[in-house]
Structure formats: C-alpha cells, structure tokens
C-alpha cells in the first residue's frame, strides 16, 4: 500500500477518498478500528513518507468536518428513493420480480448508511456531534422494513417470476454458451450440463404446489467449476470466457431469489448491530418521539428488535452451538436485551399516545363543561341587562363568547392546540397500528394491546380524578357534571377506533364495570366508594344534624337556614336529575353497593333501638296490653326512658330509607330507558306474585325487582341487613317479642313530637322541617323486614301499631297545655302518612281507630296556619 500511494496516482486518490469518507471501520460488532491513527502510526516508522502523514491529517480533518454532511445528504436521498420504491411496489407487487436487484441494492445502501452513522456517532469529537445526529433515521429504517415486508409477503410472486426466468431464458442462454465453447473438459461439461438440466426441469406448478426449492448444490457446483477453471494450466480458462462467468453469476442470483429470500434479506438489510449500541438506539428512539412528523415511523425501532437474534454468527461456534452452556448464556443475553428493548419501545409509544389522548380528553371535557346549564345564567343575565341598558341608553358589559365559537375558522392556516394534538395522535397511531404483532425471540408482541392497557389504566384514574373528591373539605363533583365529563371522555376514546384497530368497547366494559365495585382491580377506591362515602358521611350526616331536610314535594334534600352555612347545596346533589346521573355512573351493581351501605347504617340504628327496648321491656309489655286504659298508660309512659332517642333514631332510619327510595326511583328510570323490555318483564313478574307463594321464593323475586329499582312491599336488602343481627344468646321468641315491643315503643312515643317547634307541617314541602314525615317510611319498612325475619304477621303487627298510635294521639287532644300540643295537628297527619305509605294498611282501618274528621280538620288547620305565616 505504501509503495502504490507514492507511484500510482489512482491508488493515491482512492486511498484519500477512503480516508475522507470515514474515521473508523467496524472490526466486530461494536469494536471499531480508527483508520487515521493506524495509518499515521504506520507511516511514521517509514522513511520518505512524511508527506503521506500530512495527507492523512488533512483527510482526517476533512472526514470530521465534511463526512457527516455528505452522508446526511446520502441518507436524505435514500429516504426519498426508498419511499418511492416502497410506494410503487405496494401498488404493483408484480414488479418485485424484475426489480428485485434494485430492492436489495436499496436495502444494502440504506443499511450501510445507518451502520456508518451508528458507528461514527460514538467515535467523533463533541464539537461536530450535530453532523452525526439524524432525527429522521426512523423514516429510513421504516422504508427498509416496508421493503422487507413486501419481499416476505410477495415471496411466491418473486419465486414464480424467477422460476420462469431460470427455465425459459437462463437455461437457453447457458446452453448456447456451453455449445459455443471451443474446449470443454469432461468434468466441466458434466457440471454445466447439470446446470442446464436443473433449470430446464423447473415449472410454475412447483411454486403453486408449495414445493420447497433448494439450489445450494447448484451453487456449490458453480464454486467447484470456478476452482477448476481458475488454475494456471486449466484447459477451460474462465478468464477467457467472461460472458459465461457473468451469466453464471446472474443465474446464481436468480436461484437465490427462489430459495434464499430470507437469507438475502439478512445479508442486505440486517440491523442487528443495534443490539450492541443500546444507548444510541434508545436516544434515536427518543428523538423520533419528540419530533411529531417522525413519530409515525417509531414502530421501526421495535421492528429492529426482531433482527437481534440474527447477530449470532455461524462462524462463532460458541454462539452457534446451542448445546453449549456458554452459547445458551450469550443467546439468552441477546434475547433478553431484544425483549426488554422491544417492550420498552412499545410501552413508550403507548404512553405517548395515551398522553395525547388525555390532553384531547381534557380539552373536550372543558368544551363540554361550557354547555352545562349552570353557565347559561350569565348569558341570560347579560341578555336582560343588555335590554335594560338599551332602554336607558347605557352601555352594558362586553358580550360573553358562546360555546362553539372555537369551531368557527376564518383562516385555514390557523392551527389550534386541539388540531396539533389530533395530528400528533394520528401520526403515532399509524405507527402503533402498522404491525398487528411482531415476534421477538419466540415471544409475540402486540402493539395495540399496549395502548389498550394504558388507556384502561388512565381512564380509570381519570374517572376517579374527575370526581374531584377532597377528603379534608368533603367536596365532590356533582354526579351530572361527572357524567358529562365521562361521556366527553368516552366520545374521544371511541374516536380512537378511527386511528387504531382496538376494541374500545372492551376498555369501557373493563373500566366502568370496575367502577361499580367498592375497589378496582388495583385495590384503589372507585367512584362507587367515593360517592357512597360522601352521601353517607356528608349529606345524610348533615340531615341528622338538622341542617338539611327531605322535601317530598320536590323529591330532594334541601338546605335549611342555619347559622353555619354548609359548603354545598344538598338539592344540587339529591334532586331527581342528579340521582339519575348517579345511577348512570354507578349502574345496578354500584347502586346495590350504595343500598347495602345504607342498610348497614340502618341495621346499626335498629341494634341501638333494640337495646333501648330491652331497657324498657317491662313497661312496654304492660303498655302493649293497656292501650285502652288512659290513666294507666299515662303512668306507664312516665316510666319510659330514652323516648326522644327512639324517635330520633327512627327518624334517621326514615331519612336513609327516603334517600334510598330516591336512588331506587332514579335507577328504575335509567334502566327503563336502556332496557325497557327487561324492566317491564321484571315489573310484571313482581306484580303477579300469588299471595300464597312461599316467602323464600317471594324474597328472590323482590331481590330481582329491587336490583331493577322497583319498590317492593318488603325490602330484601333491609331483611338481609337485619337478619345478620340475630344473636345466639337470645331465643327466636325473645327476638320476636323485642320486635313487637319496638313497634309499641314508637307508637306510644309519637305524641311527644307535638311539643317540638320544628314539627310543624308545611304544605309547600309536604313534610316537616325536622324530617318526622320520614317516620312513615321507617315504620312500614322496619315492621315489614322484622316480621318477615321472625315469620310473624306484618299486617297484624301494623294494625296493633296503628291502634296504639291512634290511642296515644287521641289523648293529646284532651291536653290543655299549649306547649305540649303546639303542633298537635301536624303530628296527627303522621297517621295518614303511615297508612298511605303502607301496602298492608287501609284508610278504612284507620277510620276505625282514628276519626277521619280529625285528619280533615288537621289538614285544614296546617294549611290555614301556613297561609297565615306566609302572609
């Protein structure tokens, strides 16, 4: 080399060109050879070659300063060339046959440029590092993968073409060349005749039948023939028959197109070298994701991981011998790296897509929020003010922008943030949707499943996050607002199906069904647990504290005027529209959990009531049989303890049951909208249970009906909750007696309500401000549940209750103390409410115990009093 550079100008120019185009060469994998340093060290020790040392230094400077830019332009050209080639071949795959050589040339050129960049990126000075960074490398790799995919997909097309080429043209031309040879020894003649015979015997039918071709023997014979004809004293010299050599090389290439397409792809486009440049590989991937225009090509990086197992070389026995322990260890190391990198790339792509989707959902939720009814107040106010200002001639405040203004475009060039997000998402989703699956070291990866799993996790967190639940301040989003946000979120997620072939319905089912349970699959609280906790611990607790009342006329809980104003408006969380929204969110399972939680609180109240009954058991037993003896009843009543506590606890139970009835009614409305035929079938089934039906069968029907939101004579959830209170130390007879005495206790305690200032009945709300109207529901439901458990007659026990209650209330009509009878008429109305609420009592029965004229007069008095107070 040193001699030729001094004597041959052509050699010198080629040598300089090589030094100027690269600064290092690959020895093995990531081991490189620095050519400038090695050449300089060589010429330093040779006399008369100082000039060459200067040439080397000049070439090194040129390589560092210009080689990067030169190769960047080459990659730019190759990107456009491969793109055009891939586009043409995808449209006309039949061209793969005649253009196969161009395909493999393009693949090898692109591979060489990628490996050059990879090799030099880690071995150049930092000051010129920008020239050796290519943010568009993913695009070049992507088009390489497209060409590889075309070759694999249309392999039979190429086989068909080249089988016909070999038999119809190559065999004929080779036979003519052999016939025209002046000298042809026997051995060479036999080999070339076998070539012709092999090619002539080929047919298209072999391709159609799926026959496996193997031309390795033919290629070995060609190597043998070259050896025979290349020795110095050969009779047939290959150097004198160049046409024969060219033709045979062409034929060998054609045979590879038939039986060695996969090997040709590995030979010309293998990028397994990336396995040993993990840091640079990951950096290229991050740059690809950061550039929106390149994110559509990010699938190239996981696809490269499928090449990694090709880096085990057959000339390296330690890696090739799978029986060797060290071989297995090295293969496992490469395999594990390929799996980890592929997993990391797909996971990052899915995360990026998930983040874009989340941003779009946030924007859409904001737009949906603008359409909520609460925002129309300002618009109405502005319209009214504008009208009044117009009349007075004054200028009003600037008009507020209406929802939808953001969709009005005056200039197509104006790009909104939402446009950018959708563009970035479509680019990335193209990449995720590009390959249905990929096999890496006998493991199958499905990119779409990564996106699906990430969407499930993010959707779950978003739903819980959108409740905006604050444990400290006990603030939570209104169910209707959360439902609006969830629907906006789901609309965006449904649109993802336009970009990626994923089953978004499966995501909805998995996430929303988990939200109907107490905890999700990760053990985190759901919207069911959050709303159940809020309604029980915040809203209903404030009801029991006297800050909120249930208004039957409005079917909602309403804040009462108090000194300490509440941080929330109860009506905005409990009216029929909000309860329907809650039913939509929680579904039947979630509403069942809400009911069970409510029943647990009721059962704890009933347990306390039973304790109070046990404390007064002797007195109550006597009162049960002495209700027709006024003097004795008065004396016994004075001996009762905790009367107020009994009424308060029964009122709390009534409030909880009233809230549950709102929830059940809302659930029925929602289900009737979604599944009307199924709900009507359940309703018909419930309404036609024969009276003589066994109670266990009836309870099963009631449980089905309750799950559909239908009201039942006996509440199955309450029966289950109270059944759990059975004690082994108390006999069933004693339990039954306590249940009967509890009803007696409540009945004889009702007259004490008349002395309470808050017990006044309000016709406007169809109830009392201290919620004692809820006692009607509590008495009926508790009696039905308790006597179902103890197998007693519900109707008889309620008749007994009605007799005791009416007797006790008639006594206060004879009282002269205005303090104890201030709201006597309002309390009388409780009897009417109890009968109206009960499926077991009738107005005829009430008439026999309590004169209807008293009820009529009571209604007249409370209505008259309400008119007077309002005036």
């Amino acid at each position: 080399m040193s001699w030729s550079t001094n004597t041959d100008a052509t050699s010198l120019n080629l040598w300089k060109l090589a030094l100027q185009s690269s600064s290092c060469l690959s020895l093995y994998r990531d081991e490189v050879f620095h050519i400038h340093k090695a050449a300089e060290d060589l010429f330093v020790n040779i006399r008369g070659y100082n000039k060459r040392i200067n040439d080397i230094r000049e070439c090194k400077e040129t390589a560092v300063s210009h080689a990067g830019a030169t190769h960047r332009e080459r990659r730019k050209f190759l990107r456009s060339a491969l793109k055009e080639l891939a586009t043409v071949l995808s449209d006309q795959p039949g061209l793969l046959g005649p253009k196969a050589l161009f395909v493999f040339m393009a693949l090898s050129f692109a591979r060489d440029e990628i490996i050059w960049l990879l090799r030099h990126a880690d071995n150049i000075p930092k000051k010129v590092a920008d020239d050796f960074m290519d943010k568009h490398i993913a695009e070049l790799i992507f088009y390489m993968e497209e060409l590889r995919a075309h070759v694999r997909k249309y392999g039979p097309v190429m086989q068909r073409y080249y089988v016909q080429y070999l038999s119809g043209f190559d065999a004929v031309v080779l036979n003519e060349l052999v016939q025209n040879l002046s000298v042809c020894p026997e051995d060479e003649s036999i080999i070339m005749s076998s070539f012709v015979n092999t090619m002539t015997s080929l047919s298209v039918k072999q391709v159609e039948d799926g026959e496996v071709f193997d031309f390795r023997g033919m290629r070995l014979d060609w190597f043998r023939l070259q050896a025979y004809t290349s020795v110095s004293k050969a009779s047939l010299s290959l150097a004198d028959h160049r046409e024969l050599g060219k033709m045979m090389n062409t034929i060998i290439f054609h045979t590879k197109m038939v039986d060695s397409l996969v090997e040709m792809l590995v030979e010309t486009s293998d990028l397994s070298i990336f396995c040993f440049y993990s840091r640079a590989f990951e950096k290229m991937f991050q740059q690809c994701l950061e550039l929106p225009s390149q994110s559509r090509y990010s699938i190239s990086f996981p696809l490269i991981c499928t090449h990694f197992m090709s880096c085990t070389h057959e000339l390296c026995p330690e890696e090739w011998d799978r029986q060797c322990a060290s071989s297995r260890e090295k293969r496992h190391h490469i395999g594990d790296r390929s799996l980890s990198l592929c997993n990391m790339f797909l996971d990052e792509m899915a995360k990026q897509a998930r983040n874009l989707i989340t941003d779009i959902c946030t924007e859409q939720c904001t737009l949906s929020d603008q359409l909520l009814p609460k925002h129309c107040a300002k618009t109405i106010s502005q319209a009214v003010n504008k009208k009044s200002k117009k009349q007075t001639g004054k200028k009003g405040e600037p008009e507020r922008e209406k929802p939808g203004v953001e969709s009005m475009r005056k200039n197509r060039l104006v790009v909104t943030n939402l446009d950018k997000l959708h563009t970035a998402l479509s680019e990335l989703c193209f990449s995720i949707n590009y390959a249905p699956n990929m096999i890496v070291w006998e493991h199958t990866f499905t990119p779409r499943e990564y996106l699906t799993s990430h969407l499930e996790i993010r959707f779950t967190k978003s739903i819980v996050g959108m409740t905006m639940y604050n444990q400290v301040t006990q603030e939570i989003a209104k169910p209707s607002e959360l439902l609006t946000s969830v629907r906006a979120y789901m609309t965006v997620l449904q649109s993802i199906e336009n970009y990626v072939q994923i089953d978004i319905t499966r995501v909805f089912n998995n996430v929303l069904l988990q939200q109907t349970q107490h905890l999700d699959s990760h053990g985190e609280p759901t919207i069911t647990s959050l709303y159940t906790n809020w309604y029980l611990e915040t809203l209903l607790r404030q009801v029991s504290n006297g800050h909120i009342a249930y208004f039957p006329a409005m079917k909602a809980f309403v804040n009462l005027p108090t000194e300490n104003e509440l941080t929330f408006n109860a009506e905005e969380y409990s009216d029929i529209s909000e309860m329907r929204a809650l039913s939509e969110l929680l579904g039947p399972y979630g509403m069942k959990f809400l009911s069970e939680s409510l029943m647990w609180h009721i059962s704890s109240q009933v347990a306390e009531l039973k304790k109070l009954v046990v404390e007064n058991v002797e007195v109550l037993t006597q009162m049960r049989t002495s209700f027709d003896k006024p003097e004795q009843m008065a004396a016994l009543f004075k001996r009762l303890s905790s009367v107020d506590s009994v009424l308060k606890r029964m009122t709390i139970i009534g409030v909880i049951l009233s809230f549950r009835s709102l929830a059940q009614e809302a659930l029925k409305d929602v289900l009737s909208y979604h599944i009307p035929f199924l709900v009507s079938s359940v309703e018909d089934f419930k309404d036609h249970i024969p009276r003589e039906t066994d109670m266990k069968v009836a309870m099963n029907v009631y449980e089905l009906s309750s799950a559909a939101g239908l009201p039942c004579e006996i509440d199955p959830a309450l029966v289950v909750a109270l059944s759990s209170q059975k004690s082994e130390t108390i006999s069933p007879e004693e339990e039954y007696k306590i249940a009967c005495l509890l009803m007696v206790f409540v009945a004889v305690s009702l007259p004490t309500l008349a002395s309470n200032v808050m017990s006044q009945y309000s016709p406007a709300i169809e109830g009392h401000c201290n919620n004692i109207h809820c006692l009607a529901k509590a008495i009926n439901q508790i009696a039905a549940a308790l006597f179902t458990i103890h197998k007693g007659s519900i109707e008889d026990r309620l008749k007994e209750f009605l007799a005791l209650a009416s007797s006790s209330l008639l006594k206060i009509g004879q009282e002269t103390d205005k303090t104890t009878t201030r709201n006597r008429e309002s309390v009388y109305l409780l009897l009417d409410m109890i009968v109206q609420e009960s499926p077991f009592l009738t107005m005829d029965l009430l008439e026999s115990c309590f004169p209807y004229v008293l009820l009529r007069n009571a209604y007249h008095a409370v209505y008259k009093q309400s008119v007077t107070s309002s005036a």
Side-chain angles (χ1 to χ4, degrees):
M1 182 191 73
S2 59
W3 178 80
S4 64
T5 53
N6 271 348
T7 58
D8 189 354
T10 305
S11 296
L12 179 62
N13 289 334
L14 288 172
W15 181 65
K16 284 184 177 181
L17 193 62
L19 290 176
Q20 289 171 357
S21 64
S22 297
S23 60
C24 57
L25 297 173
S26 291
L27 287 178
Y28 182 64
R29 291 178 176 171
D30 56 342
E31 300 293 334
V32 295
F33 174 71
H34 294 276
I35 54 178
H36 297 98
K37 185 178 183 304
E40 193 174 334
D41 292 343
L42 174 66
F43 285 113
V44 163
N45 299 321
I46 303 175
R47 289 183 181 179
Y49 281 88
N50 292 332
K51 189 177 180 181
R52 298 284 82 82
I53 294 174
N54 294 331
D55 290 341
I56 292 169
R57 289 172 180 169
E58 287 177 9
C59 290
K60 182 179 180 180
E61 289 297 322
T62 304
V64 170
S65 57
H66 299 309
T70 303
H71 283 271
R72 184 172 62 245
E73 291 302 315
R74 286 184 187 175
R75 290 192 299 276
K76 183 178 178 181
F77 166 75
L78 284 171
R79 280 200 303 273
S80 61
L82 263 67
K83 180 180 180 180
E84 291 174 3
L85 186 58
T87 304
V88 170
L89 293 178
S90 63
D91 184 56
Q92 299 292 334
L95 290 175
L96 271 169
K99 299 300 179 183
L101 181 60
F102 291 98
V103 171
F104 289 108
M105 286 169 60
L107 288 172
S108 61
F109 289 152
R111 177 205 58 189
D112 292 342
E113 286 302 317
I114 291 168
I115 292 176
W116 184 94
L117 179 66
L118 197 61
R119 183 171 72 240
H120 285 77
D122 285 345
N123 297 282
I124 44 91
K126 290 185 179 179
K127 62 181 180 180
V128 291
D130 291 343
D131 288 337
F132 294 86
M133 287 173 57
D134 191 349
K135 293 183 179 180
H136 299 83
I137 194 71
E139 187 177 354
L140 183 58
I141 298 171
F142 177 80
Y143 293 131
M144 284 182 67
E145 290 295 334
E146 277 216 313
L147 290 177
R148 286 167 58 93
H150 288 325
V151 172
R152 285 193 294 266
K153 182 178 180 180
Y154 299 108
V157 174
M158 298 176 71
Q159 283 184 324
R160 188 186 185 93
Y161 176 85
Y162 282 103
V163 161
Q164 294 180 67
Y165 205 118
L166 285 166
S167 61
F169 180 80
D170 289 341
V172 175
V173 174
L174 181 62
N175 189 42
E176 289 180 1
L177 289 174
V178 172
Q179 295 296 330
N180 293 332
L181 290 175
S182 56
V183 178
C184 187
E186 185 179 355
D187 290 344
E188 285 83 339
S189 177
I190 292 171
I191 292 173
M192 286 190 283
S193 297
S194 71
F195 290 163
V196 175
N197 293 335
T198 300
M199 290 186 290
T200 306
S201 64
L202 296 174
S203 68
V204 176
K205 192 174 184 302
Q206 290 174 286
V207 180
E208 294 173 349
D209 294 341
E211 185 176 326
V212 178
F213 295 95
D214 187 358
F215 293 108
R216 287 180 296 176
M218 184 176 175
R219 288 192 285 270
L220 284 172
D221 283 343
W222 169 233
F223 294 151
R224 192 177 293 114
L225 182 63
Q226 289 179 82
Y228 289 164
T229 57
S230 299
V231 295
S232 57
K233 296 180 180 180
S235 302
L236 177 63
S237 175
L238 195 60
D240 298 332
H241 299 83
R242 286 179 171 272
E243 291 300 320
L244 177 64
K246 288 179 182 179
M247 190 63 209
M248 278 308 303
N249 282 334
T250 303
I251 290 171
I252 293 305
F253 173 74
H254 292 171
T255 60
K256 288 186 176 182
M257 295 297 98
V258 177
D259 70 339
S260 302
L261 278 175
V262 175
E263 289 79 358
M264 283 294 292
L265 286 175
V266 173
E267 184 180 337
T268 56
S269 60
D270 176 51
L271 293 174
S272 59
I273 191 70
F274 274 104
C275 179
F276 307 99
Y277 289 92
S278 297
R279 189 177 299 173
F281 196 25
E282 292 175 24
K283 187 177 180 181
M284 288 178 179
F285 175 73
Q286 292 299 331
Q287 289 176 341
C288 175
L289 283 185
E290 289 168 5
L291 199 62
S293 62
Q294 288 296 301
S295 59
R296 72 185 285 117
Y297 308 115
S298 55
I299 193 64
S300 309
F301 296 92
L303 288 172
I304 288 177
C305 296
T306 62
H307 298 208
F308 283 5
M309 296 313 293
S310 302
C311 67
T312 53
H313 202 280
E314 60 183 354
L315 297 180
C316 184
E318 283 188 356
E319 290 183 356
W320 192 252
D321 183 11
R322 298 190 182 187
Q323 304 300 320
C324 174
S326 62
S327 164
R328 288 197 299 273
E329 185 178 342
K330 289 184 179 181
R331 285 179 61 80
H332 274 287
H333 175 68
I334 294 171
D336 289 341
R337 182 176 293 184
S338 64
L339 292 176
S340 63
L341 283 172
C342 186
N343 179 67
M344 187 268 286
F345 292 148
L346 292 175
D347 196 53
E348 286 297 320
M349 289 165 61
K351 284 181 182 177
Q352 184 83 349
R354 176 204 66 191
N355 293 337
L356 289 170
I357 292 168
T358 303
D359 292 342
I360 293 172
C361 288
T362 303
E363 293 272 354
Q364 289 293 342
C365 287
T366 304
L367 295 176
S368 296
D369 183 74
Q370 293 175 9
L371 295 172
L372 290 175
K374 66 179 182 180
H375 293 298
C376 70
K378 284 186 178 179
T379 306
I380 295 171
S381 174
Q382 280 184 350
V384 173
N385 292 338
K386 188 176 180 182
K387 189 175 181 181
S388 61
K389 298 290 182 185
K390 195 172 183 180
Q391 291 173 354
T392 57
K394 294 181 181 179
K395 289 186 177 180
E397 59 186 52
E399 190 173 348
R400 177 172 167 266
E401 284 190 349
K402 295 180 181 179
V405 173
E406 69 283 345
S407 300
M408 298 173 65
R409 305 291 181 95
K410 295 182 179 179
N411 187 347
R412 292 184 179 183
L413 299 178
V414 176
V415 180
T416 65
N417 184 48
L418 207 54
D419 294 336
K420 294 176 183 176
L421 290 172
H422 275 292
T423 303
L425 179 62
S426 62
E427 294 292 303
L428 191 54
C429 285
F430 171 84
S431 187
I432 294 172
N433 199 50
Y434 179 76
N437 51 59
M438 54 189 72
I439 299 174
V440 179
W441 199 39
E442 299 178 356
H443 290 70
T444 302
F445 288 85
T446 307
R448 297 167 192 166
E449 286 301 316
Y450 279 81
L451 179 59
T452 301
S453 62
H454 276 289
L455 287 179
E456 283 186 12
I457 295 169
R458 178 53 62 89
F459 190 29
T460 301
K461 290 181 178 177
S462 296
I463 288 179
V464 176
M466 285 188 291
T467 60
M468 295 183 288
Y469 179 62
N470 189 325
Q471 201 167 4
V472 179
T473 61
Q474 289 296 309
E475 292 177 348
I476 198 167
K478 291 192 289 186
S480 59
E481 292 183 6
L482 176 60
L483 182 61
T484 301
S485 298
V486 169
R487 282 175 173 167
Y489 211 106
M490 291 173 67
T491 302
V492 174
L493 291 181
Q494 279 182 315
S495 70
I496 304 305
E497 291 183 332
N498 298 328
Y499 303 105
V500 188
Q501 293 178 5
I502 60 174
D503 186 5
I504 206 69
T505 306
R506 191 185 79 185
V507 175
F508 292 159
N509 290 339
N510 290 347
V511 174
L512 296 178
L513 278 175
Q514 285 184 40
Q515 291 302 310
T516 65
Q517 305 301 314
H518 178 49
L519 297 173
D520 63 18
S521 57
H522 299 94
E524 296 295 325
T526 61
I527 57 173
T528 296
S529 60
L530 293 178
Y531 274 108
T532 299
N533 182 65
W534 188 87
Y535 277 106
L536 283 170
E537 301 299 328
T538 303
L539 190 140
L540 293 179
R541 189 174 293 277
Q542 294 298 337
V543 176
S544 60
N545 291 338
H547 298 150
I548 298 173
Y550 173 60
F551 286 12
M554 298 174 63
K555 287 192 175 181
F557 288 84
V558 180
N559 291 24
L560 295 175
T562 55
E563 293 180 3
N564 299 322
E565 288 293 328
L566 297 178
T567 57
F568 64 94
N569 188 346
E571 187 181 355
E572 293 180 358
Y573 289 86
S574 60
D575 65 12
I576 191 65
S577 61
E578 295 299 330
M579 297 309 293
R580 284 175 182 168
L582 185 68
S583 299
E584 285 272 11
L585 289 167
L586 305 191
Y589 286 114
M591 296 303 281
K592 184 180 180 183
F593 176 78
L594 174 63
S595 294
E596 289 172 353
S597 301
L598 293 170
M599 293 308 159
W600 182 84
H601 279 71
I602 291 174
S603 66
S604 63
Q605 293 292 343
V606 172
E608 293 299 320
L609 285 169
K610 286 181 177 180
K611 290 178 184 177
L612 298 177
V613 170
V614 171
E615 290 176 8
N616 298 278
V617 66
E618 293 181 5
V619 178
L620 290 171
T621 304
Q622 295 179 43
M623 294 183 80
R624 186 182 183 187
T625 56
S626 305
F627 67 91
D628 55 346
K629 300 172 184 176
E631 295 81 8
Q632 190 175 349
M633 286 290 285
L636 290 170
F637 184 76
K638 292 178 181 178
R639 292 169 56 190
L640 285 176
S641 62
S642 307
V643 174
D644 292 338
S645 180
V646 169
L647 291 173
K648 185 175 181 182
R649 291 185 184 279
M650 283 299 289
T651 304
I652 291 172
I653 292 172
V655 166
I656 294 175
L657 289 172
S658 298
F659 175 76
R660 182 170 186 265
S661 69
L662 288 180
Q664 288 292 94
E665 185 180 348
L667 177 61
K668 180 195 171 187
D669 292 343
V670 169
L671 293 181
S672 297
Y673 175 76
H674 290 295
I675 45 173
F677 299 109
L678 186 58
V679 171
S680 61
S681 299
V682 174
E683 193 170 7
D684 186 61
F685 195 35
K686 177 185 78 76
D687 291 343
H688 293 85
I689 302 175
R691 281 288 176 187
E692 62 275 6
T693 305
D694 182 67
M695 185 52 69
K696 287 186 178 179
V697 177
M699 289 306 295
N700 288 334
V701 176
Y702 288 150
E703 188 173 354
L704 172 65
S705 304
S706 181
L710 301 174
C712 303
E713 292 181 356
I714 303 168
D715 194 329
L718 187 56
V719 170
V720 171
L722 297 181
S723 297
S724 62
Q725 292 183 347
K726 283 187 176 181
S727 175
E728 295 180 0
T729 58
I730 303 176
S731 64
E733 293 77 11
E734 191 67 23
E735 286 274 7
Y736 179 69
K737 181 182 177 182
I738 292 173
C740 293
L741 293 179
L742 173 59
M743 301 309 295
V744 173
F745 204 164
V746 175
V748 299
S749 302
L750 290 179
T752 60
L753 295 171
S755 61
N756 191 335
V757 180
M758 298 296 290
S759 295
Q760 183 180 349
Y761 180 83
S762 172
I765 67 172
E766 297 181 3
H768 307 74
C769 289
N770 60 352
N771 291 312
I772 61 172
H773 55 274
C774 296
L775 283 170
K777 193 174 287 291
I779 291 165
N780 281 292
Q781 294 283 355
I782 293 295
L786 285 176
F787 297 119
T788 298
I789 295 168
H790 300 301
K791 300 178 181 178
S793 173
I794 303 170
E795 191 172 341
D796 290 346
R797 298 287 68 80
L798 283 174
K799 284 179 182 178
E800 182 184 32
F801 169 84
L802 195 59
L804 282 164
S806 58
S807 174
S808 301
L809 289 174
L810 285 170
K811 290 172 196 171
I812 62 172
Q814 303 169 2
E815 293 284 342
T816 56
D817 187 0
K818 291 185 178 180
T819 306
T820 58
T821 61
R822 67 177 66 175
N823 287 315
R824 178 177 56 196
E825 289 79 9
S826 296
V827 176
Y828 283 168
L829 300 183
L830 283 177
L831 286 177
D832 184 48
M833 293 179 184
I834 291 168
V835 174
Q836 294 289 348
E837 185 72 33
S838 175
F840 305 100
L841 299 175
T842 63
M843 289 304 295
D844 292 338
L845 186 61
L846 178 61
E847 177 69 25
S848 65
C849 301
F850 194 87
Y852 187 74
V853 66
L854 288 179
L855 283 177
R856 187 178 61 207
N857 291 339
Y859 274 114
H860 180 73
V862 295
Y863 272 85
K864 185 177 180 181
Q865 188 177 0
S866 67
V867 172
T868 306
S869 60
S870 61

